[in-house]
Amino acid sequence: MSDYIQTDGASFFRVGRQAYVSAELYRRELNEIFDRTWLYAAHDSELREAGDFLTREVGGRELILQRQADGSLGVYLNACAHRGARVCNERAGNTQRFTCPYHGWTYDGQGALIGVPDRSAYGLPGHCDLQQSLIRVRHDSYRGFVFILYGRSAVSLAQHLGGARDYIDLILDQSEAPLEIIPGAFDHAIKANWKLLAENGVDAYHLPFAHKRYLKYLDTLGTDPASHRRSGRGEALGNGHALIMSGPPSTGRPIAYWSPLFPEALKPSIEAKFDELVRRFGQARAEEIAHTNKSLFIFPNLVINDILGLNIRTFFPRGADQVSVTVWGAGFADESAEERAARINGLISFIGPGGFGTPDDVEILESCQRAYAHAAIGYSDFSRGLLAGSRRHVDEEQNRGFWREWSRRLEGASVRPSQALAIAV
């Protein structure tokens, strides 16, 4: 293990709090983790038609993602080959070309340079090579989730996802219709180290303490007040990925599990959805799909929450003590307007800026960071369940899995300049 982790492998596992405050370590993480790991960028449903594009910051770099005429996806750095200005300032749209607002260089939908004012003054040839085109970024997708990779690596996306793929499948098997991102996103910042958010995304232990207001609210609606004590499991899935799963949930689920949070009129359609899941997969898998809450963490910065609503969250460090966060809601294309409304209400009521969950978590994580800033000597403990060898959803094996991968990637690594990265198709 690294200098930041203390463990005997059997009874205790602790992380030195300097890991959350060190500016030098933050720079190493950018180089050794975010510049050399598959990062979630978008979902296929956000780019439906030929020419549709998104501009999005991923891993600290601005990208253009565009649907090509043949249905494939193009991903480019949003930087002109001439002087590096952004060639697209819109968040989304549909176009066949991008023109740099600085000097008018123009690129087609494949990123190739097709127009230069006063081209002859540059001595440019009539055709264009990659040096005069937008820089292409390596990308791949799994079941509609699009990931990018900045550095050269022999590790494929499938190899990186590893055991997490089974749980992406479990989430997406809720419906035979495709997943789609609900328009709009929730962007916010937290004055805390990014690793605190990685821990929190698969931490069920804090629910009855940090989110007491939410549990009291559920009580007023007639839900089961003991729901947070339901059985479940926590798993380290390898490669730093992690999972917590528990159920049945008192909050209900728009797919096949009704609760008092939903309108009474939705009961028949929800029951019909469960019957369909049983027909497709059998009783056991249908119950695992419909009657359990799942939070899936994909190393280093993606969380897929399949709970009251379905949401996708990414985060990226802006410093040792600052992280930016983006959350998207998601649903399935065959949902009725009432079912979609239930999903959105669930997302807003817990995850949104005025919800029960996010403000509580932000306050707690920022309080941790403030303590570390002037009391960083010492260790944070992740030993829960280790001695007993248990894998309950309220234990911490999933957190230990994250820290093992973090340590593996940083062990023996020196700071290397970002210009040494190889942007590759």
Side-chain angles (χ1 to χ4, degrees):
M1 287 292 172
S2 72
D3 295 337
Y4 295 94
I5 296 175
Q6 287 187 350
T7 181
D8 64 356
S11 62
F12 69 89
F13 191 106
R14 296 188 289 262
V15 175
R17 289 176 179 165
Q18 285 289 346
Y20 302 93
V21 299
S22 168
E24 177 188 1
L25 188 58
Y26 157 69
R27 290 189 292 271
R28 290 178 61 194
E29 289 170 338
L30 294 182
N31 281 277
E32 304 303 329
I33 295 178
F34 289 94
D35 282 350
R36 292 172 169 80
T37 305
W38 288 96
L39 303 174
Y40 174 76
H43 188 268
D44 271 344
S45 64
E46 298 177 271
L47 299 157
R48 297 181 183 276
E49 305 295 333
D52 283 357
F53 71 87
L54 295 170
T55 58
R56 185 162 288 171
E57 184 178 327
V58 181
R61 294 174 174 84
E62 296 185 4
L63 301 179
I64 299 171
L65 299 94
Q66 186 170 40
R67 183 67 63 196
Q68 306 296 299
D70 64 359
S72 64
L73 191 66
V75 182
Y76 317 101
L77 290 185
N78 189 4
C80 182
H82 178 221
R83 299 281 186 85
R86 285 191 298 182
V87 299
C88 184
N89 291 310
E90 290 77 32
R91 292 183 65 131
N94 186 288
T95 188
Q96 299 303 315
R97 61 185 58 194
F98 300 98
T99 299
C100 177
Y102 195 9
H103 297 97
W105 287 33
T106 301
Y107 303 85
D108 66 15
Q110 287 74 48
L113 182 66
I114 58 173
V116 177
D118 196 14
R119 173 187 288 270
S120 61
Y122 287 92
L124 291 174
H127 68 280
C128 299
D129 60 29
L130 289 178
Q131 296 302 314
Q132 290 127 19
S133 300
L134 299 180
I135 296 176
R136 296 186 171 105
V137 177
R138 181 179 174 185
H139 60 279
D140 199 354
S141 65
Y142 182 74
R143 295 200 65 171
F145 290 89
V146 179
F147 293 77
I148 60 92
L149 179 68
Y150 290 121
R152 292 193 185 278
S153 174
V155 176
S156 68
L157 176 61
Q159 290 171 317
H160 172 66
L161 291 176
R165 288 180 296 171
D166 293 340
Y167 294 97
I168 295 175
D169 293 342
L170 189 67
I171 292 169
L172 296 186
D173 283 348
Q174 292 179 34
S175 175
E176 292 183 285
L179 184 76
E180 59 184 19
I181 300 299
I182 298 171
F186 167 35
D187 296 304
H188 67 108
I190 306 176
K191 295 178 181 178
N193 187 272
W194 70 277
K195 297 184 290 297
L196 286 170
L197 198 57
E199 297 164 1
N200 179 263
V202 283
D203 182 329
Y205 184 27
H206 76 282
L207 176 62
F209 310 104
H211 300 309
K212 287 185 287 188
R213 293 182 309 135
Y214 184 58
L215 298 180
K216 289 180 180 179
Y217 165 68
L218 295 182
D219 290 348
T220 67
L221 300 177
T223 62
D224 181 357
S227 63
H228 63 275
R229 292 193 290 272
R230 296 298 193 202
S231 62
R233 69 181 191 269
E235 299 284 353
L237 302 175
N239 297 338
H241 313 318
L243 170 82
I244 52 174
M245 180 185 298
S246 64
S250 66
T251 54
R253 292 162 51 68
I255 293 290
Y257 194 82
W258 187 87
S259 94
L261 271 72
F262 301 142
E264 187 80 20
L266 281 182
K267 256 187 177 180
S269 66
I270 286 178
E271 290 173 355
K273 286 178 184 293
F274 183 72
D275 291 342
E276 177 63 15
L277 289 174
V278 172
R279 184 194 67 79
R280 290 170 59 201
F281 299 111
Q283 185 75 23
R285 185 168 176 85
E287 290 183 355
E288 195 169 39
I289 291 171
H291 296 174
T292 63
N293 283 338
K294 294 168 279 288
S295 291
L296 176 64
F297 172 72
I298 307 295
F299 188 93
N301 67 332
L302 170 65
V303 177
I304 304 174
N305 279 317
D306 182 23
I307 46 178
L308 173 61
L310 181 57
N311 63 82
I312 298 165
R313 180 172 71 212
T314 62
F315 46 92
F316 182 73
R318 302 296 180 184
D321 59 356
Q322 183 89 11
V323 60
S324 61
V325 186
T326 301
V327 183
W328 297 269
F332 292 91
D334 63 347
E335 292 174 341
S336 68
E338 293 77 15
E339 290 165 340
R340 178 58 56 87
R343 281 198 181 276
I344 294 173
N345 288 338
L347 175 68
I348 294 172
S349 67
F350 193 79
I351 301 295
F356 284 99
T358 295
D360 290 339
D361 286 332
V362 169
E363 182 177 355
I364 290 291
L365 298 185
E366 289 187 348
S367 73
C368 291
Q369 192 69 36
R370 288 194 300 270
Y372 300 163
H374 49 78
I377 298 174
Y379 290 80
S380 291
D381 192 279
F382 294 90
S383 304
R384 187 173 171 87
L386 182 58
L387 184 61
S390 63
R391 296 289 188 273
R392 300 176 301 164
H393 65 299
V394 293
D395 289 332
E396 294 169 331
E397 172 60 19
Q398 63 274 11
N399 297 131
R400 293 190 289 269
F402 165 81
W403 280 106
R404 292 186 192 106
E405 179 67 10
W406 177 90
S407 176
R408 184 190 71 80
R409 287 174 176 267
L410 292 181
E411 186 176 9
S414 59
V415 179
R416 286 177 276 184
S418 59
Q419 57 262 38
L421 292 176
I423 307 288
V425 177

